[in-house]
Amino acid sequence: MSMILLAVQDTYGTVLAQVGNPTPEAPPGSEKILQLVRYLTWFVLLSGICGITYAGGKFAWERWTGGGLESPKMVAGAMIGGVVATSAGTIMNAVIG
């Protein structure tokens, strides 16, 4: 186990404390929270698929009727949101270390 030296020193330059680097441990009952996170992840992915499908259908309708093209923005937004949602765990692991 590596040690973290605190930058607290007395007037003689001796280190006053050392703190161990603890490893993360899940608290009791965390399995239910993790299950809820998995359900929410599934719902976000389902919402993204529905959003892209809806935007694709709207894009086809706009092209057929000759209306304004609003749906490419919807497709791009849904795809960017899906990338952020699915990589949230990886991003947090990179930030936390």
Side-chain angles (χ1 to χ4, degrees):
M1 177 192 312
S2 64
M3 300 297 278
I4 298 173
L5 295 177
L6 295 179
V8 179
Q9 296 182 352
D10 63 3
T11 56
Y12 301 107
T14 58
V15 176
L16 297 178
Q18 291 183 349
V19 178
N21 190 8
T23 58
E25 182 179 334
S30 64
E31 183 58 37
K32 295 291 183 185
I33 295 171
L34 291 175
Q35 184 177 14
L36 178 65
V37 169
R38 287 191 292 269
Y39 287 163
L40 290 174
T41 302
W42 180 84
F43 181 72
V44 166
L45 292 174
L46 179 66
S47 299
I49 290 169
C50 290
I52 290 173
T53 303
Y54 172 76
K58 186 173 180 182
F59 180 69
W61 181 256
E62 289 172 354
R63 294 289 291 173
W64 185 337
T65 61
L69 294 177
E70 296 284 328
S71 55
K73 296 176 198 172
M74 292 173 62
V75 172
M79 292 177 75
I80 291 171
V83 167
V84 170
T86 55
S87 62
T90 306
I91 292 170
M92 287 305 296
N93 283 334
V95 170
I96 293 174

